[in-house]
Amino acid sequence: MSTLIDSFKQIRDDYTPIPFWFWNDYLSEDEITRQMEEMKDKGVDAFVIHPRKGLPKEIEYLSDKYFYYVKYAVSKAKEMNMKVVLYDEAMYPSGSCRGMVVKKNKAFASKGLMMTKVPLEEAGAVLVADLATDQGKRYFYMLPSGGNIRGVHENEDDGEIDAPPSSDLLDPEAVKTYIELTHEKYYAELKEYFGSTIIAFFTDEPCILGRNPREGLIPWSDGIYEEYLAAGGTLEDLPLLFEKQSCDNAANAEGTDKSDISHILDKKERVQRARRIYDEVIYARMSRAYYGQLSKWCTDHGIALTGHPEKSTDIGYLQNYTWPCQDIVWRFVEPEDGHALIGEHTTMGKCSSDSARHRGKHRNGNECFGCCGHRDDPYLFTEEDMRWYLNWLFVRGVNLVYPHAFYYSVRDGRGDERPPEVGLGNPFWPQYRKMSNYIKRMCYLNTAAVNNTEIAVLCKPQELSWQIAKPLFENQIEFNYLEEELLNTSCQVTAGTVNITDYSYKLLIYDDDFEKNMSSETVDILQKYRSQGGKTLCFKDDRELLDTIEKSGLRKLKLKKGSKNIRCTYEIKDNAEYVIVTNEGMEEISDELEIYGKTATSVWDPYGDITFDENITDSGSIKLELSKCESRVIFLS
């Protein structure tokens, strides 16, 4: 055990934080060098070159002058033994090359489908279909979405006159053009550094309609209608894709009679079916046209594809990334008011880590801290705040950290753009090496480790249940999200277990929506699994879920007082076993942790580099005294 502890205490530069470095002002060699030396001194051994709002037009994106500074920074990184991740857009979302894709071909603008009551007479509108309904005729037009991306130069932000138009990410030719304009240009300028100093391209929340699209549109492109029909959709169901009224609310409305309820529920099922077919078609096209092409290009050029999709629950798209990631932004996740466990965004930590676990990916990450300053002061982000967010990620298996952001400049309001500043301009920067060492230790510990669980929560490619996850987290019960696609293609069912990579699951949990929409292949696999003694549970309430797990004997950890704000992950790495524990609440917690069938041998604070072996009881359980943001690593025998 001492070997693992000694190994864990070592600081490995491969697990460095990789901050977004906002290039948001006039650049100079001296200032680039100064900031890189500051980063290196604080244990930051890599960075993302991120062109950002405030970059002057004199340093036009992808111009010779722009690449002069990029090449300088990359060559300096090689000299300093640092690594570089290239950002693939002028601001975000990715995929438009600052509007150059659309400038090259107007047909490459992002598109949507609109339903109208009257024929449209406007440039760019293409009639896809028309339909006679009880309410009159409906027309379906494909037309430019009017969406944009945020640009880096003056007057290019949302709502400004030069905001770059977003391109059609569902069109393979538009994406091919994007790659030619962006990736090929970087490669032509920096080929000698690819695969060594340059380790990855970061693609950032690609958005099909773009930002600020015209109202009433749903994502669309050439050929989508034909693919929708081929997948089982119908012309008659096209209006259901635009259904905004909640059928549930209508059914529960006071005074609704039984015949109306029956009609509403029938319509609800039709809406769900039409929408499911549509979502699957868009998902498949986006996977092929955008993610597939970027993934192949990066593989062919010896670097990783990293970054994250648009939605926190987009687990399916992550299969295309070498290093799948997600992002914590806008305090959607926070310690207050239960927001660490409630809502779709609280699934993102497990989203990236479980995708990586089941698909054999080495790293998984998070672009974290963006707009996560205090509610009453968005610029305030303390050392304690950073630790809370990091612990939230680490206990969910994340092992790659992209801090958002280190600002090249904060002059003239540049620090007001998506604060907080978490790097050179932050008050705790002089002590940052302690933080970077902590990140390196925890990322090392989470890499090539297997979390010790026999429980899987089944999920769709764009749907993860936080409702199932919440009671599991609150009761320190380990689980992994398992994608239906993997269940059907990569899992083996033997002796009442579902096996994939290093995992064998004896209990599969899912919700009503998953059960109603599971494929016929999934039905067959679950029948085979149950016939061999495997257990399944359609989640209804917390109590039934917890009782099922207790009776199945699958629980491995338990707190004496049952503190709901303690999170745990039980991992195995290099034949050694350990538990990572963190306090996710706002108050100090005192409790005692029992690890079934195991004895604790050492308790370590990985941030303070302090041991608490005296907290191990004679029975081998561990007394926990955890302040907010504190964590422990408990080594076992």
Side-chain angles (χ1 to χ4, degrees), residues 283 287 291 309 311-321 324 326 351 355 359 361 459-464 483-486:
Y283 168 76
S287 296
Y291 291 107
K311 289 174 52 184
S312 297
T313 55
D314 275 339
I315 192 170
Y317 287 138
L318 295 185
Q319 65 183 290
N320 298 284
Y321 290 89
Q326 277 291 350
C351 179
S355 173
R359 295 184 182 275
K361 305 292 178 72
C459 63
K460 294 286 187 176
Q462 296 177 289
E463 299 173 12
L464 304 176
E483 299 164 62
E484 183 180 28
E485 177 185 352
L486 291 175

Side-chain angles (χ1 to χ4, degrees), residues 236-247:
E236 290 71 25
D237 282 345
L238 271 184
L240 301 179
L241 300 180
F242 298 85
E243 187 68 36
K244 294 182 179 181
Q245 181 182 14
S246 169
C247 295

Side-chain angles (χ1 to χ4, degrees), residues 537-550:
L537 175 68
C538 184
F539 174 76
K540 305 296 183 185
D541 59 67
D542 294 3
R543 188 68 266 159
E544 181 188 16
L545 172 65
L546 297 174
D547 286 346
T548 299
I549 292 171
E550 291 287 357

Side-chain angles (χ1 to χ4, degrees), residues 277 287 621:
I277 293 171
S287 296
S621 63

Side-chain angles (χ1 to χ4, degrees), residues 24-73:
N24 62 354
D25 206 337
Y26 290 93
L27 304 172
S28 74
E29 294 178 356
D30 288 346
E31 184 60 15
I32 288 173
T33 300
R34 185 192 74 81
Q35 294 193 23
M36 289 177 64
E37 289 175 345
E38 277 281 316
M39 286 189 256
K40 186 71 174 179
D41 180 65
K42 300 303 186 294
V44 178
D45 298 289
F47 51 84
V48 181
I49 295 178
H50 190 345
R52 199 73 183 189
K53 179 182 176 182
L55 190 70
K57 289 188 177 180
E58 292 89 332
I59 310 176
E60 186 176 0
Y61 180 62
L62 299 186
S63 66
D64 290 345
K65 193 168 186 179
Y66 170 82
F67 272 109
Y68 174 84
Y69 291 109
V70 172
K71 284 189 280 188
Y72 178 79

